[in-house]
């Protein structure tokens, strides 16, 4: 097939190609790659064989301070993650505010939480985490957090369950005390000001203890000092000195990941941050080794798959090459917006998705359809009980988009509440049973809906049917390919169901091959980032390429 005709039919465009040497090829991928030019098919591995496991290794419940019980947090995690760690707050060796009345309540709730953890709470926590572990199905990890004004906040994540809760005088001291154990110590909310719980890159030590850093969470995005997801917490604004790109420009090597840092007992809360691990199996050793080797990625919520390689290297690797063949292959969960390839902090290629849905001229279509539940204006939670079904075709896969309550840290006057765990009650080739709870959106910028994304293959005339709370709504796939549909259950200003516009393969699959023959430094770094039209993001860990 003529490549120019193929690109035109796919709707994708390549803009912003810069600093790249001799060649560039753009492709929009089909699931079986049958429509791709032969020279590209030979170079691109199949996404069907691409494995990534999803988790959240930094989030909180009421074990120390936060909301929701540990048992509910672990149950919520198992509904939509492959692995998780719920994180007690444990240490703050340089806690400030002894002479500042404004900070008295901050000191009190931290020190009280640390005390309760040490007076029996930690052993109960550790045993509960171990009991929830189900090898091969859902892995759990022990962790705890150390705050630091000087070095920034860090999470200690452990391979084993029988590990101690130590004391420390600083983050470096914590690392030294944990040296006998298989443990990662990971900085988070990097972008706060250094000296005020932001990260200090001058103290960073590359190696197995800190193979990756947390770039995004409910605190915001620390990729740079500008862009989406600004820091809005009362801990202060976002600055350059602790950002990811600042650390990369200083020559440090580390993987990129995301976590929720959620304080309402809901690990993996949709849109708040998750880590992806490129491992061969959901086995503890395989997962740990992959994290140690920086074979990780970060997503805000949607489980966007990004296969990023340069020559023989993949995300997290260090390779040697002067000629760099760069390959990126993406499978999104809805309409992609663009895919960037970043080199030394600059975007050297941007793939722009088609502005209109690419609808194939076939009766049976593969598409991804998100169904959302929420929008109630009242304070009470709405309990959604029912199922989604197809009248014909099949559900290839499904992603849950379950959210917890929108808490990032305790505030004065907040009361404890019981976590409402959203569940998939049954699942078949043509139906999905759901038991969910939605609250009203707290404002027009903070969503609180629950949702699922169905990966379907079905005739355009077949229907997706939603039966919930005694109501039934249905739309053909053909209708949803044209645009979103919505229904109020009890009239205006009541809870509602939304069927989002269905996205076909031309909108959620993309890829790019290019060649860069212009080394700029002794070691150049590259990474890929992906944005969907709905504001969901993904980032790969960098690949570092040294001159030969």
């Amino acid at each position: 097939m003529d490549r120019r005709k193929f690109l035109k039919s796919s709707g994708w465009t390549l803009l912003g190609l810069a600093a790249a040497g001799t060649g560039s090829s753009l492709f929009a991928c089909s699931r079986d790659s049958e429509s791709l030019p032969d020279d590209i098919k030979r170079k691109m591995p199949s996404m069907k064989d691409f494995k990534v496991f999803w988790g959240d290794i930094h989030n909180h419940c009421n074990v120390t301070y936060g909301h929701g019980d540990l048992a509910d947090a672990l149950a919520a995690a198992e509904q939509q993650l492959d692995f998780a760690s719920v994180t007690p707050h444990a240490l703050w060796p340089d806690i400030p505010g002894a002479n500042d009345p404004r900070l008295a309540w901050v000191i009190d709730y931290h020190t009280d939480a640390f005390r309760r953890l040490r007076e029996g709470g930690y052993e109960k926590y550790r045993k509960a985490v171990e009991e929830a572990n189900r090898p091969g199905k859902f892995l759990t990890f022990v962790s705890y957090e150390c705050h630091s004004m000087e070095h920034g906040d860090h999470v200690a994540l452990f391979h084993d369950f029988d590990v101690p809760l130590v004391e420390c005088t600083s983050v470096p001291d914590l690392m030294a005390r944990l040296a006998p154990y298989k443990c990662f110590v990971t900085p988070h909310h990097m972008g706060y000001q250094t000296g005020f719980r932001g990260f200090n890159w001058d103290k960073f030590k590359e190696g197995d203890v800190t193979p990756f850093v947390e770039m995004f969470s409910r605190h915001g995005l620390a990729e740079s000092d500008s862009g989406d997801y600004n820091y809005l917490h009362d801990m202060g604004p976002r600055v350059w000195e602790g950002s990811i790109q600042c650390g990369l420009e200083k020559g440090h090597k580390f993987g990129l990941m995301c976590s929720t840092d959620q304080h309402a007992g809901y690990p993996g809360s949709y849109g708040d941050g998750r880590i992806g691990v490129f491992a061969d199996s959901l086995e503890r050793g395989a997962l740990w080794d992959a994290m140690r080797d920086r074979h990780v990625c970060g997503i805000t919520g949607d489980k966007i798959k990004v296969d990023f390689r340069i020559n023989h290297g993949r995300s997290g690797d260090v390779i040697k090459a002067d000629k760099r063949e760069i390959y990126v292959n993406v499978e999104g969960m809805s309409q992609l917006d663009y895919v960037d390839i970043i080199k030394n902090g600059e975007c050297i290629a941007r793939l722009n998705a088609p502005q209109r849905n690419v609808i194939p001229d076939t009766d049976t279509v593969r598409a991804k359809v998100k169904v959302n539940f929420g929008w109630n204006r009242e304070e009470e939670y709405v309990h959604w009980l029912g199922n989604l079904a197809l009248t014909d075709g099949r559900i290839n896969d499904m992603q849950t988009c379950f959210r917890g309550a929108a808490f990032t840290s305790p505030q004065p006057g907040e009361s404890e509440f019981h976590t409402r765990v959203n569940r998939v009650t049954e699942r078949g080739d043509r139906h999905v049973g759901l038991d969910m709870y939605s609250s009203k959106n707290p404002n027009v910028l903070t969503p609180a809906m629950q949702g699922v994304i169905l990966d379907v293959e079905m005739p355009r005339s077949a229907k997706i049917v939603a039966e919930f709370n005694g109501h039934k709504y249905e739309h053909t796939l053909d209708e949803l390919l044209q645009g979103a549909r919505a229904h109020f259950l009890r009239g205006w200003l009541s809870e509602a169901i939304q069927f989002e516009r269905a996205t076909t393969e031309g909108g959620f699959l993309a890829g790019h091959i290019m060649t860069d023959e212009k080394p700029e430094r002794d070691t150049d770094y590259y990474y890929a980032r992906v944005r969907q039209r709905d504001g969901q993001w993904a980032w790969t860990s960098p690949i570092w390429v040294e001159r030969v």
Side-chain angles (χ1 to χ4, degrees):
M1 179 179 183
D2 181 84
R3 186 177 303 165
R4 288 172 295 181
K5 291 182 180 179
F6 175 78
L7 297 180
K8 185 176 180 180
S9 67
S10 73
W12 283 81
T13 58
L14 174 62
L15 298 179
L17 186 64
T22 58
S24 178
S25 298
L26 174 67
F27 53 90
C29 316
S30 69
R31 187 157 55 115
D32 298 318
S33 303
E34 292 300 323
S35 60
L36 294 181
D38 289 340
D39 60 332
I40 291 181
K41 281 197 290 186
R42 286 193 295 270
K43 294 179 178 179
M44 55 175 289
S46 171
M47 286 295 277
K48 292 188 295 184
D49 303 323
F50 185 67
K51 290 184 179 180
V52 56
F53 298 100
W54 305 103
D56 182 5
I57 54 177
H58 173 207
N59 60 88
H60 307 284
C61 68
N62 65 7
V63 168
T64 46
Y65 60 83
H67 301 282
D69 294 334
L70 177 60
D72 288 334
L74 292 168
E78 192 170 3
Q79 287 294 309
Q80 58 185 356
L81 300 175
D82 299 307
F83 61 97
S85 180
V86 182
T87 312
H89 302 88
L91 303 152
W92 195 343
D94 59 354
I95 190 167
N99 299 315
D100 189 342
R102 293 181 308 111
L103 303 179
W105 74 276
V106 178
I107 296 174
D108 288 344
Y109 81 68
H110 278 93
T111 54
D112 183 59
F114 301 158
R115 176 187 55 78
R116 286 185 283 108
L117 188 64
R118 279 169 170 73
E119 293 178 356
Y122 179 69
E123 285 305 309
K124 292 179 181 178
Y125 156 80
R126 190 177 59 77
K127 291 177 181 178
V129 171
E130 185 171 8
E131 289 173 0
N133 187 60
R134 299 199 298 128
K137 296 181 178 179
F138 175 65
L139 301 184
T140 59
F141 293 86
V142 170
S143 65
Y144 50 80
E145 179 171 343
C146 176
H147 303 322
S148 172
M149 298 295 284
E150 180 183 4
H151 297 97
D153 291 12
H154 289 67
V155 170
L157 180 78
F158 297 91
H159 178 280
D160 301 316
F161 295 105
D162 188 14
V163 290
L165 176 58
V166 302
E167 294 283 1
C168 69
T169 60
S170 66
V171 171
D173 182 49
L174 174 68
M175 292 179 175
R177 292 173 185 268
L178 296 178
Y181 306 93
K182 292 181 74 172
C183 175
F184 300 137
V185 182
T186 305
H188 57 269
H189 52 55
M190 321 275 292
Y192 288 117
Q193 188 172 344
T194 302
F196 295 89
R197 293 174 65 183
F199 189 60
N200 186 346
W201 282 112
D202 292 337
K203 304 294 184 181
F204 179 78
K205 291 185 178 180
E206 182 184 324
D208 292 350
V209 177
T210 308
F212 49 80
V213 302
E214 181 187 294
M215 180 173 67
F216 171 85
S217 72
R218 283 194 62 84
H219 284 265
L221 174 62
E223 182 180 12
S224 184
D225 53 359
S226 61
D228 284 4
Y229 301 109
N230 197 3
Y231 276 28
L232 302 178
H233 192 274
D234 56 14
M235 286 168 55
R238 176 174 60 183
V239 297
W240 167 255
E241 59 194 17
S243 70
I244 298 303
Q245 289 191 353
C246 177
L248 290 170
E249 287 298 301
K250 287 178 176 287
H252 299 305
K253 296 182 178 66
F254 49 85
L256 302 180
M257 49 77 77
C258 308
S259 302
T260 62
D261 201 353
Q262 216 250 3
H263 283 63
Y266 219 99
S269 179
Y270 180 72
D272 293 339
R274 297 169 176 174
I275 179 177
V277 180
F278 308 122
D280 293 332
S281 64
L282 189 59
E283 186 271 325
R284 198 172 204 85
L287 205 69
W288 192 268
D289 290 348
M291 288 193 286
R292 180 202 61 208
D293 294 340
R294 301 186 293 249
H295 294 161
V296 299
C297 66
I299 56 172
T300 53
D302 275 357
K303 296 174 180 177
I304 303 168
K305 295 180 180 179
V306 187
D307 187 358
F308 178 58
R309 310 181 190 210
I310 300 178
N311 296 1
H312 60 278
R314 57 176 175 156
S315 296
D317 287 348
V318 181
I319 65 173
K320 289 182 178 292
D322 287 339
K323 181 178 180 180
R324 295 98 187 256
E325 186 170 85
I326 302 168
Y327 161 86
V328 62
N329 195 2
V330 177
E331 179 176 349
M333 296 305 295
S334 70
Q335 178 71 43
L336 294 170
D337 192 3
Y338 54 81
V339 179
D340 286 341
I341 296 175
I342 308 299
K343 175 186 179 183
N344 298 336
E346 299 292 336
C347 180
I348 62 170
R350 169 164 290 186
L351 289 68
N352 286 279
Q355 292 300 302
R356 294 175 181 264
N357 208 3
V358 181
I359 302 176
D361 187 20
T362 57
D363 178 56
T364 298
V365 175
R366 184 191 178 200
K368 296 194 179 183
V369 183
K370 186 177 183 182
V371 186
N372 294 305
F373 304 80
W375 288 278
N376 178 43
R377 127 178 283 206
E378 298 147 9
E379 294 294 337
E380 293 79 12
Y381 277 80
V382 174
H383 184 194
W384 300 87
L385 190 61
N387 66 82
L388 294 169
L390 310 184
T391 58
D392 195 4
R394 65 178 181 179
I395 299 174
N396 299 316
D397 199 5
M398 180 197 68
Q399 175 192 292
T400 56
C401 305
F402 294 158
R403 290 181 169 94
F407 290 105
T408 308
S409 68
Q411 299 296 325
E414 285 177 1
S415 57
E416 175 64 50
F417 68 91
H418 176 69
T419 299
R420 291 162 176 83
V421 179
N422 304 293
R423 289 182 167 87
V424 178
T425 57
E426 56 181 328
R427 180 174 170 180
D429 290 340
R430 289 191 182 177
H431 76 282
V432 174
L434 299 169
D435 184 350
M436 304 174 297
Y437 297 85
S438 71
S439 61
K440 71 173 186 177
N441 296 330
N443 56 62
V444 295
L445 295 177
T446 305
M449 306 89 70
Q450 308 301 342
V452 295
I453 300 172
L454 302 180
D455 182 340
V456 301
E457 197 157 3
M458 58 190 292
R460 292 164 59 160
S461 59
K463 295 178 179 179
I464 300 178
V465 183
E467 292 190 75
F468 284 86
N469 299 0
H471 299 267
K472 180 178 179 179
Y473 307 102
E474 58 186 30
H475 293 282
T476 65
L477 178 60
D478 206 41
E479 287 180 281
L480 297 179
L481 288 169
Q482 305 305 320
R485 303 289 193 272
H487 305 273
F488 292 107
L489 270 65
R490 296 181 292 122
W492 188 52
L493 301 182
S494 72
E495 63 272 21
I497 293 178
Q498 179 200 35
F499 296 77
E500 290 192 6
R501 181 192 293 267
T503 303
T504 62
E505 289 183 318
F508 65 76
L509 294 177
H512 181 55
I513 293 174
M514 63 186 289
T515 302
D516 181 5
E517 294 182 321
K518 296 181 178 179
E520 295 176 355
R521 306 174 179 178
D522 290 339
T523 302
D524 296 310
Y525 67 84
Y526 303 76
Y527 66 92
R529 66 183 176 206
V530 178
R531 187 186 190 276
Q532 292 184 167
R533 196 72 54 78
D534 60 5
Q536 296 293 322
W537 287 81
W539 298 266
T540 70
S541 291
I543 299 173
W544 291 267
V545 186
E546 301 172 345
R547 291 178 187 266
V548 175

